[in-house]
C-alpha cells in the first residue's frame, strides 16, 4: 500500500486546521498517539504493519478540524470523508471512523441517538485496534493530559459493562504503555485511575 509520508501528513493537517491553535492541539495529540501505538506495536505480533499504524495514528483525528460547533462524536466520520476525498485508501480512512471510544456499534448509534449514519464503527484489523487503544492514553482536553489505563477504564465504564470489557481486552492484548517519558517531554498533566486494571 502506498502511504503518505510524514511531511505529507503534516501538510494535510495544516490544510484542514481552521487555526494555528487547532493545528497545534490536534497534530500534537496525533503525534503522541502515534508514538504510543508504535511503542506497543512489538507486542501485537510480527505481522503488524508499523508504518500503517504510525500513519493511521497521525491521521485518526483529522476530522476534528471540521466539527466546528457541531457534535464532537462526528469527528470520526468527518475524518473518513476528508481522507477519502484526498484519495487515500479505505484501510487508512478507517482509522478516522473506527477509533471512537472502544468502538461504536449500530446499536450504540441508534440507542444513544448519535448524529452519525447508522453503522458499525469498529476497529477490525490489529493496526486499527492498536491505534484506537493508544488514543485512550492522551486527551485533547483543556489542558491536554495523559491518562493511565485505570483512568480510562473508569471513564469508559460509564457507557456500559461491554465497553469496559472491550477496553480490558485491548489492555490484555497490547499491555499498558510507559508514559513517563512522554509526560515529561510534553509537560501535559497525568491522570491516574483509582484502581489497577484487573
Amino acid at each position: 500500500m502506498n502511504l503518505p509520508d510524514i511531511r505529507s501528513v503534516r501538510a494535510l493537517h495544516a490544510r484542514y486546521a481552521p487555526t494555528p491553535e487547532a493545528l497545534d492541539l490536534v497534530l500534537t495529540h496525533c503525534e503522541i498517539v502515534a508514538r504510543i501505538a508504535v511503542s506497543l506495536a512489538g507486542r501485537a505480533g510480527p505481522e503488524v504493519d508499523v508504518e500503517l499504524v504510525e500513519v493511521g495514528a497521525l491521521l485518526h483525528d483529522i476530522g476534528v478540524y471540521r466539527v466546528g460547533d457541531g457534535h464532537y462524536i462526528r469527528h470520526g466520520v468527518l475524518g473518513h470523508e476528508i481522507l477519502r476525498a484526498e484519495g487515500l485508501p479505505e484501510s487508512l480512512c478507517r482509522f478516522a471512523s473506527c477509533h471512537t471510544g472502544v468502538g461504536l456499534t449500530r446499536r450504540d448509534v441508534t440507542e444513544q441517538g448519535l448524529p452519525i449514519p447508522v453503522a458499525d464503527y469498529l476497529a477490525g484489523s490489529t493496526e486499527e485496534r492498536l491505534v484506537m487503544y493508544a488514543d485512550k492514553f492522551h486527551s485533547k482536553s483543556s489542558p491536554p493530559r495523559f491518562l493511565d489505563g485505570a483512568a480510562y477504564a473508569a471513564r469508559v465504564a460509564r457507557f456500559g459493562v461491554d465497553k469496559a470489557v472491550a477496553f480490558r481486552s485491548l489492555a490484555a492484548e497490547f499491555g499498558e504503555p510507559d508514559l513517563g517519558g512522554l509526560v515529561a517531554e510534553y509537560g501535559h498533566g497525568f491522570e491516574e485511575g483509582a484502581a489497577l486494571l484487573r
Side-chain angles (χ1 to χ4, degrees):
M1 177 186 335
N2 193 14
L3 296 172
D5 61 20
I6 303 303
R7 185 173 163 190
S8 300
V9 167
R10 288 189 174 127
L12 270 179
H13 275 271
R15 185 176 324 139
Y16 286 96
T19 65
E21 295 78 17
L23 175 63
D24 181 57
L25 179 68
V26 175
L27 182 56
T28 298
H29 168 73
C30 289
E31 289 173 345
I32 288 169
V33 171
R35 289 176 66 181
I36 293 169
V38 168
S39 76
L40 295 174
R43 301 178 193 178
E47 288 84 35
V48 170
D49 185 336
V50 178
E51 184 183 8
L52 179 60
V53 166
E54 181 177 31
V55 176
L58 289 171
L59 290 170
H60 81 279
D61 261 354
I62 198 160
V64 171
Y65 301 130
R66 287 269 174 94
V67 171
D69 293 331
H71 297 278
Y72 184 78
I73 195 76
R74 292 189 42 75
H75 79 282
V77 296
L78 294 172
H80 193 116
E81 290 170 5
I82 288 170
L83 298 177
R84 183 186 303 133
E86 289 290 335
L88 295 172
E90 180 67 13
S91 57
L92 197 53
C93 299
R94 285 181 51 82
F95 284 96
S97 57
C98 297
H99 77 274
T100 302
V102 290
L104 295 172
T105 64
R106 290 174 175 277
R107 185 175 179 176
D108 294 327
V109 174
T110 57
E111 287 184 355
Q112 296 175 41
L114 300 177
I116 56 178
V118 176
D120 287 321
Y121 301 94
L122 301 169
S125 69
T126 301
E127 290 84 359
E128 289 172 7
R129 288 194 317 277
L130 184 52
V131 170
M132 179 180 67
Y133 178 65
D135 183 48
K136 306 305 153 270
F137 294 94
H138 186 262
S139 170
K140 296 181 299 295
S141 59
S142 182
R145 67 183 175 278
F146 290 90
L147 299 89
D148 69 5
Y152 185 78
R155 283 182 177 194
V156 78
R158 297 176 304 174
F159 296 101
V161 173
D162 59 324
K163 302 301 183 185
V165 168
F167 181 72
R168 282 197 301 274
S169 176
L170 290 166
E173 182 178 4
F174 300 121
E176 186 151 345
D178 178 2
L179 300 172
L182 290 171
V183 171
E185 179 180 344
Y186 287 91
H188 295 172
F190 182 62
E191 182 181 330
E192 294 180 87
L196 296 174
L197 285 177
R198 289 177 174 66

Short mmCIF file of all heavy atoms in Angstrom, two decimals, residues 4 6 13 27 29 45 62-63 68 76 84 113 119 124 126 149 175:
data_model
loop_
_atom_site.label_atom_id
_atom_site.label_comp_id
_atom_site.label_asym_id
_atom_site.label_seq_id
_atom_site.Cartn_x
_atom_site.Cartn_y
_atom_site.Cartn_z
N PRO A 4 1.05 7.98 2.58
CA PRO A 4 1.69 9.30 2.57
C PRO A 4 2.84 9.34 3.57
O PRO A 4 2.80 8.66 4.60
CB PRO A 4 0.57 10.25 2.98
CG PRO A 4 -0.43 9.41 3.70
CD PRO A 4 -0.31 8.03 3.13
N ILE A 6 5.45 11.39 6.30
CA ILE A 6 5.15 12.24 7.45
C ILE A 6 4.97 13.70 7.03
O ILE A 6 4.08 14.41 7.52
CB ILE A 6 6.26 12.12 8.52
CG1 ILE A 6 6.43 10.66 8.96
CG2 ILE A 6 5.96 13.02 9.71
CD1 ILE A 6 5.20 10.00 9.50
N HIS A 13 -2.77 18.09 7.69
CA HIS A 13 -3.25 18.73 8.92
C HIS A 13 -3.28 20.24 8.74
O HIS A 13 -4.27 20.89 9.09
CB HIS A 13 -2.34 18.36 10.10
CG HIS A 13 -2.69 17.07 10.75
ND1 HIS A 13 -3.60 16.98 11.78
CD2 HIS A 13 -2.24 15.81 10.55
CE1 HIS A 13 -3.70 15.72 12.18
NE2 HIS A 13 -2.89 14.99 11.45
N LEU A 27 -2.59 18.06 15.96
CA LEU A 27 -1.39 17.41 15.44
C LEU A 27 -0.52 16.87 16.57
O LEU A 27 -0.01 15.76 16.49
CB LEU A 27 -0.60 18.35 14.54
CG LEU A 27 0.66 17.76 13.89
CD1 LEU A 27 0.35 16.51 13.07
CD2 LEU A 27 1.35 18.81 13.01
N HIS A 29 -1.56 15.89 19.52
CA HIS A 29 -2.25 14.69 20.01
C HIS A 29 -2.00 13.50 19.08
O HIS A 29 -1.66 12.41 19.54
CB HIS A 29 -3.75 14.96 20.13
CG HIS A 29 -4.57 13.73 20.34
ND1 HIS A 29 -4.58 13.04 21.54
CD2 HIS A 29 -5.38 13.04 19.49
CE1 HIS A 29 -5.38 11.99 21.42
NE2 HIS A 29 -5.88 11.97 20.19
N GLY A 45 2.59 -8.51 17.60
CA GLY A 45 2.98 -9.59 16.72
C GLY A 45 3.78 -9.12 15.52
O GLY A 45 3.75 -7.93 15.16
N ILE A 62 -8.07 13.82 12.16
CA ILE A 62 -8.11 14.94 11.22
C ILE A 62 -9.52 15.52 11.08
O ILE A 62 -9.70 16.70 10.79
CB ILE A 62 -7.51 14.55 9.85
CG1 ILE A 62 -7.15 15.81 9.06
CG2 ILE A 62 -8.43 13.60 9.08
CD1 ILE A 62 -6.16 15.58 7.94
N GLY A 63 -10.54 14.73 11.35
CA GLY A 63 -11.91 15.21 11.27
C GLY A 63 -12.28 16.22 12.34
O GLY A 63 -13.28 16.94 12.21
N GLY A 68 -16.30 22.06 14.17
CA GLY A 68 -16.81 23.40 14.47
C GLY A 68 -17.66 23.39 15.72
O GLY A 68 -17.26 22.85 16.74
N GLY A 76 -15.08 11.43 13.69
CA GLY A 76 -14.59 10.23 13.02
C GLY A 76 -15.10 10.10 11.59
O GLY A 76 -14.32 9.87 10.66
N ARG A 84 -10.93 10.16 2.43
CA ARG A 84 -11.43 9.60 1.17
C ARG A 84 -11.33 10.64 0.05
O ARG A 84 -10.91 10.34 -1.07
CB ARG A 84 -12.87 9.11 1.31
CG ARG A 84 -13.37 8.45 0.01
CD ARG A 84 -14.83 8.07 0.03
NE ARG A 84 -15.14 7.19 1.13
CZ ARG A 84 -16.19 7.37 1.94
NH1 ARG A 84 -17.00 8.40 1.80
NH2 ARG A 84 -16.43 6.53 2.91
N GLY A 113 -28.88 7.80 20.03
CA GLY A 113 -29.30 8.87 19.13
C GLY A 113 -28.13 9.68 18.61
O GLY A 113 -28.22 10.91 18.49
N ALA A 119 -24.37 2.69 11.52
CA ALA A 119 -23.42 1.70 11.02
C ALA A 119 -22.57 1.23 12.20
O ALA A 119 -22.64 1.80 13.30
CB ALA A 119 -22.52 2.31 9.94
N GLY A 124 -11.22 -3.16 13.14
CA GLY A 124 -11.18 -4.56 12.72
C GLY A 124 -9.79 -5.15 12.74
O GLY A 124 -9.55 -6.18 13.36
N THR A 126 -5.66 -5.52 13.45
CA THR A 126 -4.79 -5.29 14.61
C THR A 126 -4.29 -3.86 14.61
O THR A 126 -4.22 -3.21 15.66
CB THR A 126 -3.60 -6.28 14.57
OG1 THR A 126 -4.12 -7.61 14.58
CG2 THR A 126 -2.68 -6.08 15.76
N GLY A 149 -4.27 3.48 32.21
CA GLY A 149 -5.35 2.57 31.83
C GLY A 149 -6.51 2.58 32.80
O GLY A 149 -7.67 2.51 32.39
N GLY A 175 -0.98 -4.49 26.33
CA GLY A 175 -0.27 -4.03 27.52
C GLY A 175 -0.46 -2.54 27.72
O GLY A 175 -1.04 -1.85 26.89
#
